[in-house]
Amino acid sequence: MKLKDLKNWLDTLSDEELEKELLYNSMDYGISGKITEINRNDDNLYYVGDEPVVMHTRKELKQLGFTDNQIANFDVEIPKGCYYVELSNEYSILERFVS
């Protein structure tokens, strides 16, 4: 979905609908919760396989000791200038594994 598609859809909602919380649901992980912010990144963000999952900028990867060749082999997960939502509901995740 492009941002303009989201805007067009939001423009069709009543003021009452616009006052409702924006929620997410991840069926893959069995978590849901409120979206508390939408982020815009100023650099490409990379994931290098660490746990917990953390996204890194090129500068951060260099500080962690990665070489330019290593960084070139990582996939850009979120390209520079994009908007994204972080899904984080640690309580729900922990609750699933304790049950």
Side-chain angles (χ1 to χ4, degrees):
M1 173 182 273
K2 294 186 178 193
L3 287 174
K4 69 179 181 177
D5 298 327
L6 176 60
K7 182 184 180 307
N8 288 337
W9 179 73
L10 289 171
D11 288 344
T12 68
L13 298 178
S14 68
D15 287 342
E16 180 181 339
E17 288 292 313
L18 291 170
E19 289 297 323
K20 293 182 178 179
E21 293 286 344
L22 181 58
L23 305 174
Y24 68 85
N25 178 48
S26 173
M27 293 189 302
D28 291 341
Y29 298 106
I31 60 173
S32 60
K34 293 179 184 178
I35 293 177
T36 57
E37 65 181 308
I38 297 173
N39 301 300
R40 182 182 188 278
N41 57 316
D42 296 325
D43 296 298
N44 288 334
L45 296 179
Y46 302 86
Y47 171 61
V48 296
D50 47 1
E51 293 289 335
V53 174
V54 177
M55 304 296 273
H56 299 281
T57 64
R58 179 179 202 78
K59 180 180 177 182
E60 291 168 341
L61 291 175
K62 295 289 280 186
Q63 290 172 341
L64 291 171
F66 289 95
T67 66
D68 287 328
N69 286 337
Q70 289 172 313
I71 295 169
N73 289 318
F74 295 139
D75 290 331
V76 174
E77 295 293 327
I78 302 175
K80 177 180 179 176
C82 287
Y83 294 87
Y84 66 98
V85 174
E86 288 185 344
L87 301 183
S88 177
N89 193 337
E90 293 174 28
Y91 178 77
S92 293
I93 294 169
L94 293 174
E95 190 175 64
R96 281 186 65 207
F97 292 105
V98 171
S99 300

